[in-house]
Amino acid sequence: MNFSSFSEFIAMGNHGLYVWTSYGISLTVLVLNVTLPLMARRRYLQDEARRMRREDMK
C-alpha cells in the first residue's frame, strides 16, 4: 500500500481511527502484561521483607 503523504498514511484510507485505536490498545495490553507482574513481585518482596523484620523483633 503506497501513501502519497503522511496524512494519508495516518488516515489509512478512512480506517485510521480503527487501525490506530487497535494499535494503541494492543500496545497498552503488552505494556500491562510486563508491568503488572513486575509491580506485584516488588510488592511481594517488600511485604516479605516487612514480615521478616517483624519476626526478627519477636
Side-chain angles (χ1 to χ4, degrees), residues 8-34:
E8 270 189 43
F9 172 72
I10 297 297
M12 291 278 175
N14 294 328
H15 299 288
L17 181 62
Y18 170 75
V19 171
W20 297 114
T21 303
S22 298
Y23 277 128
I25 291 170
S26 298
L27 181 62
T28 301
V29 168
L30 290 173
V31 168
L32 288 174
N33 278 336
V34 171

Side-chain angles (χ1 to χ4, degrees), residues 30-48:
L30 290 173
V31 168
L32 288 174
N33 278 336
V34 171
T35 305
L36 291 177
L38 290 174
M39 290 172 52
R41 179 181 183 271
R42 182 177 177 196
R43 191 169 32 249
Y44 170 76
L45 291 174
Q46 288 173 343
D47 289 345
E48 284 300 306

